[in-house]
Amino acid sequence: MNANHEVKSLTAIGGQWGDEGKGKVVDLLSSGFEVVVRYNGGHNAGHTVCFADRRFALHLVPSGIIHENVSCYLGAGMVIDPSALCAELDTLTAEEVRHEGRLFLSDRATLILPTHQAIDNAREGARGKGKIGTTGRGIGPAYQDAAQRRALRTFMLTQPARFLDAARDLMTEHNRELDVLFGAPPVNLDEALETLRTGAERLGPLVREIGPKIIEHADQGQQVLFEGAQGVLLDIHHGTYPYVTSSSCLPGAAAVSCAISPRYLGPVLGIMKAYVTRVGEGPFPSELEDEVGERLRERGNEFGTTTGRPRRCGWFDAVAARYAVRAAGVDAVALMKVDVMDDLAEVEVVVGYELPDGRVLDTMPADLEVLAQVRPRTEKLPGWQCSTRDLKEATAMPARAEAYLRFLERQVGVPIVLVSTGPRREETIARGDSDLSKQLAGLIETNQSLE
Ligand code: GDP
Ligand code: IMO
Ligand code: MG
């Protein structure tokens, strides 16, 4: 085993409620890695990559795919809809991104069937006002089947006849459930099976036992980047349950998903926006339901990459960020979308949650009824009111923006090593003088010559 593998890997995760800019960061860093692994979630994720005049929205495929020397893996902890993955591969091919020979699926991931999507939507409809606001992609029902031990897994894509028999049986059961539980119409099985057959033919050859392959890369001294989907506050155990997704978004889940030792994961980079957004329902203590929130949404183009839904916007929540840093063992933060706040005269940060009896909470409570009672305590800072868009050096940061970054670092307790000031690869600055900052600075430099 390579004694240095700890420093050769990095795990990049969302530190808020998703959409922090993980796609941008993973793409940006990928030039320095031989391997990129997605380890959780499914096509509920939408990871955007922009450089020069090109834009990609990735859902299942790791954001490292754009770099032609990078091998990409999808872990066993994922839920994979074969037709969604085929559509994504078609889009990449049309954009002249070739994946052949360097994209592999774990043989143990859970398959999303068309009936899972129907159940997701029927259940959300039946919940009415109490809905979660899911992406409607069948994510929850597929993970539910995995936990029920009746799911179909990716290895079956290599045995189409057996797969289609098993899929017919399971979808027949799903159709019964759609009728009995929700009075919803059945999914047409012949059409669904035809889609699955095409998916199996195409994806079967990509299926592997991925753990030994990832260990082999790492032991050869190759660098592995683990890419989380969603974010800590959407984690099935540690997020704002039940308004969460159905997978674990924490870095430890990467080791579980790939069946490798957690020692391979390296430092944890927590990706956070300079403010906060959330899509779907659920608590959001720093939410701004006023013109400032509207301005952030417009300037930040805060509309879902997957569903197009408007994202709710609010101030940076340092209580939630400290909680996420603790829960996920975040070593350093990449702070995204600083440019979106450029024109604000004043910015605020939530620094405490005040309970009705005057006590101040410094954590996200497990009980959402408690969270609903908290009044966020904020601190105000002056806005910088000038453009951060074309900055190339951390030292060129406007003084008030720098003061905001330092305030967040003190609040969150870990350094900000990357600052993002625009959607494109080129609009990123490495910050600080830690080893990680220096490593990231080197990668950014390489990337700027990669258009
Ligand atoms: P992900 O799910 O974490 O990968 O994030 P998304 O791609 O869903 O959403 C982030 C959005 O912000 C995308 O449209 C990105 O192109 C955009 N973006 C990322 N970083 C920045 C930034 O620093 N400034 C601005 N203005 N946009 C950014
Ligand atoms: P990325 O990886 C933001 C949210 C949904 C909903 C909840 C449950 O792009 O950051 P699900 O369909 O997973 O059962 O929905 O989780 N959600 C996300 N929000 N970004 C995501 O992914 C999300 N994936 C799921 O909006 O509130
Ligand atoms: Mg997204």
Side-chain angles (χ1 to χ4, degrees):
M1 189 161 61
N2 183 331
N4 286 329
H5 57 68
E6 292 91 339
V7 294
K8 291 196 176 295
S9 327
L10 183 72
T11 301
I13 63 156
Q16 294 160 329
W17 277 291
D19 299 330
E20 299 88 350
K22 298 175 290 292
K24 164 167 174 170
V25 172
V26 169
D27 163 70
L28 175 73
L29 303 183
S30 287
S31 62
F33 289 80
E34 277 89 0
V35 182
V36 180
V37 181
R38 248 294 290 279
Y39 63 84
N40 72 301
H43 63 312
N44 49 349
H47 296 176
T48 315
V49 172
C50 301
F51 58 95
D53 59 354
R54 303 185 72 187
R55 182 178 181 281
F56 295 86
L58 296 152
H59 300 283
L60 285 157
V61 176
S63 305
I65 197 75
I66 320 289
H67 299 258
E68 60 186 20
N69 298 323
V70 172
S71 298
C72 292
Y73 292 88
L74 277 68
M78 291 185 68
V79 283
I80 297 174
D81 179 327
S83 63
L85 182 52
C86 289
E88 197 168 329
L89 296 181
D90 286 342
T91 308
L92 286 169
T93 305
E95 289 284 338
E96 291 173 5
V97 176
R98 313 291 314 178
H99 64 272
E100 288 80 2
R102 61 187 188 96
L103 176 73
F104 305 101
L105 317 185
S106 163
D107 50 3
R108 289 158 164 89
T110 294
L111 289 168
I112 298 187
L113 308 178
T115 39
H116 285 128
Q117 185 164 6
I119 292 173
D120 194 359
N121 290 317
R123 182 169 291 144
E124 283 283 274
R127 278 196 176 114
K129 278 185 110 179
K131 69 176 196 248
I132 309 282
T134 73
T135 57
R137 300 294 192 264
I139 306 295
Y143 277 115
Q144 189 180 356
D145 274 359
Q148 287 267 23
R149 291 147 296 179
R150 66 172 186 178
L152 305 186
R153 307 213 290 173
T154 22
F155 75 88
M156 278 213 181
L157 297 172
T158 64
Q159 305 170 41
R162 180 177 165 204
F163 169 50
L164 294 180
D165 276 350
R168 182 180 286 281
D169 288 350
L170 182 53
M171 291 195 295
T172 304
E173 241 176 90
H174 287 156
N175 271 345
R176 253 197 317 271
E177 290 166 15
L178 277 166
D179 177 32
V180 172
L181 299 178
F182 309 110
V187 169
N188 180 316
L189 292 193
D190 290 335
E191 278 171 22
L193 286 165
E194 183 48 31
T195 317
L196 292 173
R197 193 186 57 74
T198 323
E201 257 168 31
R202 195 143 164 220
L203 301 176
L206 312 185
V207 172
R208 297 283 186 286
E209 184 184 353
I210 65 164
K213 288 187 69 90
I214 294 171
I215 291 172
E216 200 181 304
H217 284 292
D219 288 350
Q220 283 171 3
Q222 298 189 341
Q223 312 218 38
V224 185
L225 174 56
F226 297 90
E227 175 183 14
Q230 290 83 48
V232 174
L233 302 176
L234 287 171
D235 179 86
I236 179 75
H237 306 293
H238 301 287
T240 45
Y241 189 92
Y243 298 98
V244 292
T245 190
S246 300
S247 68
S248 175
C249 316
L250 300 190
V256 176
S257 183
C258 300
I260 57 171
S261 161
R263 289 193 308 273
Y264 285 98
L265 302 183
V268 178
L269 183 64
I271 301 164
M272 299 188 187
K273 279 180 187 158
Y275 49 97
V276 179
T277 63
R278 151 158 233 175
V279 210
E281 309 305 313
F284 185 175
S286 68
E287 184 166 15
L288 287 163
E289 290 175 284
D290 59 8
E291 71 279 9
V292 181
E294 188 56 43
R295 211 145 112 199
L296 290 172
R297 180 156 41 250
E298 267 164 33
R299 271 190 66 102
N301 192 21
E302 296 295 359
F303 297 89
T305 311
T306 295
T307 57
R309 290 180 290 176
R311 297 173 181 151
R312 298 154 66 192
C313 298
W315 295 124
F316 189 90
D317 183 339
V319 180
R322 283 195 287 274
Y323 171 82
V325 163
R326 276 197 305 270
V330 168
D331 294 296
V333 165
L335 197 74
M336 313 301 290
K337 305 192 90 158
V338 171
D339 57 298
V340 173
M341 302 180 88
D342 279 352
D343 69 341
L344 298 176
E346 201 167 53
V347 296
E348 292 186 40
V349 176
V350 170
V351 295
Y353 291 167
E354 194 177 315
L355 289 165
D357 64 6
R359 281 181 304 138
V360 178
L361 270 184
D362 188 33
T363 189
M364 295 294 275
D367 183 349
L368 293 196
E369 287 185 18
V370 176
L371 189 56
Q373 291 169 20
V374 304
R375 205 176 56 84
R377 266 196 194 168
T378 64
E379 283 201 28
K380 288 192 169 86
L381 286 91
W384 43 97
Q385 295 193 285
C386 58
S387 173
T388 56
R389 246 344 238 274
D390 296 317
L391 298 183
K392 293 278 175 274
E393 298 289 334
T395 47
M397 190 63 68
R400 285 175 166 173
E402 178 61 24
Y404 181 63
L405 300 184
R406 293 205 174 162
F407 182 80
L408 295 191
E409 280 181 322
R410 283 197 301 278
Q411 283 289 321
V412 175
V414 291
I416 296 172
V417 293
L418 264 190
V419 177
S420 175
T421 58
R424 297 158 73 232
R425 260 184 208 160
E426 306 81 285
E427 297 163 313
T428 323
I429 313 168
R431 185 167 183 281
D433 51 14
S434 64
D435 287 348
L436 187 56
S437 308
K438 287 181 194 147
Q439 192 188 348
L440 298 180
L443 292 176
I444 291 172
E445 214 168 286
T446 322
N447 238 311
Q448 264 143 12
S449 53
L450 274 183
E451 292 188 21

